[in-house]
C-alpha cells in the first residue's frame, strides 16, 4: 500500500522490495534478551491454519477495495505530510494508511489480556515513554546501569512494535498475532499507537479485555510546533512546505494526523476516569517536572512497582537518567538511526529535537498563543483536564 503521493525526501527512503524487512524488536517479556526479526523470511510458524491466513488476505483486499471507494466520499483537507487527510468518524486520518488500516486492525488484531499499549497524539513524548516503559518493564532482565544496556544501541522505537506501522501493510497484522508466547504466565507485551481511543477495536478498549493503556499528552502549543517542524522534514519535496501559519490554522480547525488534538486527548482522558485501572494518564510537562514521582506511579500501574531496595539502590534515578533527552539524544544510534516503521515509512533521526517545555514561545505571537489557549479552554471545559502553569 502506498503513502498518498509519496515521494522521496531527505527524511524518507523508499526501500526496494527485495530489501524489505521490518525492524527487529526486543521482546520485553522473554526470560533472557531475545531479538525477534518480524520479517517474512524469519516469521515464526503461525498458530493459524493456512486457510485462515488466506481468508485474512482476501478480507484485507476486500476491505481495502471497499475503503478505497469510501474514501472518495469523505471530507478532505490539506495534509501535513501527505497531500490530504480525510475525516473518518470525526478524526483526520491519512487516506492511504491510518484510514484503511483502522478496519484491518478491527478485523485481524487479536489482543491478549496482558497487552499494554502506549497511546499518544503525535509529538507528545512517545519516544521518551517508549524508553521509560521498556526500561521499567525489563529491569529484572537488563541491568539499567550496564554499558551493554539495549537502549544504548537500539533506538526506543525498536524496543517494541508500533501498531500503526503494521496496519500500513495489507498482510502484516498476522505477524502480530503470530507472536510466540514464550511464557505461560503471559507476561505483558508492549505496543504503541497513535490511534484515537474511539477508533480502536472493542477487543482492546472494553474494560473486560484486560488490556491496559499508558496515555501521555502534552500541551498543544508545543505539540503544534514540534509537529510542524517534524512534518515539514517528512513532507515530500513535491509539496510546498507548510508555513507555521498554515499549520496553525489547520491545527486549530482540528485538521492534523489523528486529530482533532483535543478529541484525541479527551477520548483517553474520559476513559481514564471511567476505567482507572485500565488507563494511566500522564502529562509530558508533569513528567519533566517531577520524573521520580511519576515514574514510580507509572511502574505501579504497570504492575512492576519499585521495591524499597531498588529505590535505595537508585534504580529509579538510573532509569530516568538513561531515558533522559540529554542521554538518548546524544547516542550514536539515535543520531544516525534510520527508523523503518514499515517498508513505506522510514524516518531518519527526527525524534529528538529540543525536548523542552514552552518552546512554542520561540514561534508564536501573543495572539496565536491566546487563541490556542482559548480553544483548549473551551474544549476541555468541564472535563477537569488542564495544562496549567507546568506547561508554560
Ligand atoms: P520537540 O520537538 O519539542 O523537541 P514523539 O516522540 O511523540 O514523536 O515526540 C517528539 C518530541 O519529544 C520532540 O519534542 C522530542 O524532542 C521530544 N523527546 C524525545 N525524546 C525525549 C526525551 N527522552 N525526553 C523528553 N523529550 C523527548
Amino acid at each position: 500500500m502506498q503513502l498518498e503521493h509519496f515521494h522521496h525526501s531527505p527524511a524518507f527512503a523508499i526501500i526496494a522490495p527485495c530489501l524489505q524487512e521490518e525492524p527487529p524488536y526486543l521482546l520485553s517479556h522473554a526470560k533472557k534478551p531475545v531479538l525477534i526479526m518480524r520479517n517474512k523470511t524469519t516469521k515464526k510458524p503461525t498458530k493459524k491454519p493456512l486457510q485462515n491466513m488466506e481468508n485474512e488476505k482476501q478480507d484485507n483486499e476486500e476491505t481495502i477495495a471497499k475503503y478505497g471507494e469510501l474514501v472518495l466520499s469523505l471530507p478532505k483537507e490539506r495534509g501535513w505530510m501527505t497531500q490530504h487527510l480525510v475525516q473518518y468518524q470525526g478524526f483526520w486520518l491519512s487516506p492511504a494508511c491510518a484510514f484503511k488500516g483502522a478496519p484491518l486492525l478491527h478485523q485481524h488484531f487479536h489482543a491478549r489480556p496482558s497487552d499494554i499499549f502506549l497511546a499518544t497524539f503525535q509529538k507528545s513524548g512517545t519516544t521518551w515513554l517508549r524508553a521509560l516503559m521498556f526500561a521499567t518493564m525489563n529491569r529484572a532482565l537488563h541491568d539499567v546501569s550496564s554499558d551493554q544496556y539495549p537502549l544504548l544501541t537500539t533506538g526506543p522505537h525498536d524496543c517494541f512494535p508500533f501498531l500503526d506501522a503494521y496496519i500500513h501493510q495489507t498482510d502484516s497484522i498476522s505477524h502480530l498475532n503470530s507472536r510466540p508466547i514464550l511464557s505461560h504466565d503471559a507476561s505483558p507485551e508492549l505496543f504503541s499507537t497513535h490511534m484515537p481511543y474511539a477508533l480502536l477495536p472493542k477487543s482492546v478498549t472494553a474494560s473486560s479485555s484486560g488490556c491496559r493503556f499508558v496515555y501521555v499528552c502534552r500541551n498543544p502549543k508545543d505539540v503544534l510546533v514540534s509537529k510542524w517542524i517534524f512534518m515539514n522534514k517528512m513532507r515530500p519535496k513535491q509539496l510546498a512546505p507548510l508555513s507555521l501559519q498554515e499549520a496553525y490554522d489547520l491545527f486549530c480547525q482540528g485538521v492534523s494526523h489523528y486529530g482533532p488534538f483535543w478529541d484525541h486527548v479527551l477520548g483517553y482522558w474520559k476513559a481514564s476516569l471511567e476505567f482507572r485501572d485500565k488507563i494511566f494518564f500522564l502529562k509530558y510537562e508533569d513528567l519533566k517536572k517531577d520524573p521520580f514521582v511519576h515514574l514510580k506511579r507509572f511502574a505501579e500501574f504497570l504492575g512492576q512497582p519499585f521495591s524499597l531496595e531498588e529505590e535505595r539502590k537508585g534504580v529509579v534515578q538510573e532509569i530516568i537518567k538513561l531515558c533522559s533527552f540529554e542521554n538518548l539524544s546524544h547516542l550514536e544510534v539515535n543520531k544516525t538511526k534510520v527508523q523503518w516503521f514499515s517498508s513505506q515509512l522510514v524516518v531518519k533521526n527526527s525524534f529528538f529535537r529540543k525536548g523542552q517545555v514552552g518552546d512554542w514561545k520561540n514561534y508564536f505571537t501573543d495572539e496565536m498563543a491566546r487563541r490556542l489557549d482559548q480553544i483548549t479552554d473551551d474544549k476541555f471545559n468541564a472535563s477537569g483536564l488542564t495544562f496549567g502553569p507546568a506547561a508554560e
Side-chain angles (χ1 to χ4, degrees):
M1 196 187 293
Q2 301 295 312
L3 268 177
E4 191 197 27
H5 298 278
F6 180 83
H7 302 287
H8 186 74
S9 85
F12 272 120
I14 298 180
I15 314 303
C18 60
L19 296 177
Q20 283 185 10
E21 184 183 276
E22 291 156 21
Y25 289 104
L26 287 163
L27 199 68
S28 56
H29 60 266
K31 292 285 179 252
K32 56 184 179 167
V34 175
L35 273 174
I36 318 183
M37 300 297 294
R38 291 184 188 271
N39 70 5
K40 294 196 167 64
T41 48
T42 59
K43 198 167 75 173
K44 302 278 176 187
T46 174
K47 299 189 105 196
K48 287 183 159 195
L50 203 59
Q51 184 58 47
N52 284 359
M53 298 289 285
E54 279 306 309
N55 291 348
E56 180 180 329
K57 196 158 185 277
Q58 196 183 337
D59 272 5
N60 285 348
E61 283 163 10
E62 284 169 11
T63 304
I64 287 161
K66 183 174 135 200
Y67 280 74
E69 282 171 28
L70 178 62
V71 78
L72 300 173
S73 64
L74 294 176
K76 195 161 83 170
E77 268 292 354
R78 192 167 177 204
W80 295 52
M81 186 174 76
T82 53
Q83 190 173 21
H84 294 118
L85 293 174
V86 291
Q87 194 181 34
Y88 176 65
Q89 298 188 0
F91 289 95
W92 291 96
L93 305 175
S94 64
C97 298
F99 166 67
K100 287 183 188 165
L104 297 181
L105 197 60
H106 282 247
Q107 280 166 242
H108 299 300
F109 179 68
H110 304 307
R112 295 182 186 147
S114 53
D115 288 344
I116 303 180
F117 298 81
L118 167 63
T120 53
F121 190 79
Q122 289 170 317
K123 315 322 288 175
S124 298
T126 322
T127 312
W128 188 16
L129 265 292
R130 271 181 161 274
L132 286 172
M133 211 154 144
F134 178 82
T136 304
M137 294 299 286
N138 288 284
R139 62 190 197 274
L141 204 58
H142 306 287
D143 174 5
V144 274
S145 58
S146 158
D147 58 5
Q148 303 292 311
Y149 195 83
L151 272 172
L152 300 178
T153 48
T154 305
H157 289 271
D158 275 345
C159 286
F160 53 89
F162 173 48
L163 207 51
D164 309 26
Y166 282 82
I167 60 180
H168 290 178
Q169 297 182 354
T170 53
D171 63 352
S172 52
I173 292 174
S174 305
H175 280 184
L176 293 176
N177 294 333
S178 63
R179 56 208 146 116
I181 300 173
L182 293 187
S183 103
H184 292 295
D185 59 4
S187 309
E189 186 158 0
L190 311 178
F191 296 99
S192 78
T193 181
H194 294 313
M195 276 287 168
Y197 196 67
L199 295 192
L200 285 169
K202 285 273 176 291
S203 60
V204 175
T205 56
S207 59
S208 56
S209 75
C211 302
R212 281 170 294 160
F213 285 86
V214 172
Y215 185 80
V216 61
C217 79
R218 188 181 188 189
N219 82 79
K221 290 177 289 195
D222 280 335
V223 167
L224 200 169
V225 168
S226 181
K227 191 161 181 165
W228 171 63
I229 293 170
F230 178 83
M231 290 294 183
N232 263 339
K233 277 196 204 164
M234 304 287 288
R235 201 168 157 84
K237 277 192 181 135
Q238 287 76 358
L239 300 178
L242 209 56
S243 71
L244 177 58
Q245 188 62 52
E246 287 167 323
Y248 177 89
D249 289 340
L250 287 170
F251 192 92
C252 289
Q253 290 162 38
V255 182
S256 69
H257 292 80
Y258 302 99
F261 166 84
W262 302 274
D263 297 17
H264 197 283
V265 175
L266 281 175
Y268 284 93
W269 170 250
K270 287 179 182 162
S272 77
L273 298 179
E274 193 173 350
F275 310 114
R276 290 187 186 272
D277 295 341
K278 187 177 177 70
I279 302 182
F280 183 77
F281 193 97
L282 184 65
K283 294 179 195 156
Y284 179 98
E285 294 76 16
D286 291 344
L287 189 59
K288 269 277 191 197
K289 198 169 165 208
D290 201 342
F292 187 81
V293 166
H294 292 286
L295 184 58
K296 278 180 36 178
R297 289 182 51 221
F298 176 68
E300 272 167 35
F301 173 82
L302 295 174
Q304 307 269 345
F306 291 101
S307 65
L308 286 176
E309 176 68 0
E310 284 182 305
E311 282 196 38
R312 199 182 52 73
K313 284 187 177 160
V315 176
V316 187
Q317 282 93 342
E318 289 273 12
I319 292 181
I320 292 168
K321 195 166 142 217
L322 174 77
C323 302
S324 68
F325 181 87
E326 292 67 29
N327 185 49
L328 292 183
S329 63
H330 287 106
L331 295 175
E332 200 53 26
V333 62
N334 293 325
K335 285 199 277 190
T336 55
K337 174 83 184 162
V338 177
Q339 192 67 49
W340 298 48
F341 284 112
S342 71
S343 53
Q344 285 127 356
L345 179 58
V346 182
V347 182
K348 228 162 114 188
N349 60 16
S350 300
F351 289 104
F352 298 90
R353 194 180 63 90
K354 288 189 180 172
Q356 292 170 1
V357 175
D359 188 40
W360 59 267
K361 289 178 192 150
N362 297 315
Y363 295 87
F364 282 10
T365 61
D366 290 347
E367 173 52 22
M368 287 165 95
R370 194 203 54 73
R371 186 174 153 217
L372 198 50
D373 283 344
Q374 187 60 56
I375 296 174
T376 303
D377 287 349
D378 292 347
K379 298 269 188 188
F380 287 174
N381 178 31
S383 72
L385 180 61
T386 55
F387 284 101
E392 303 302 319

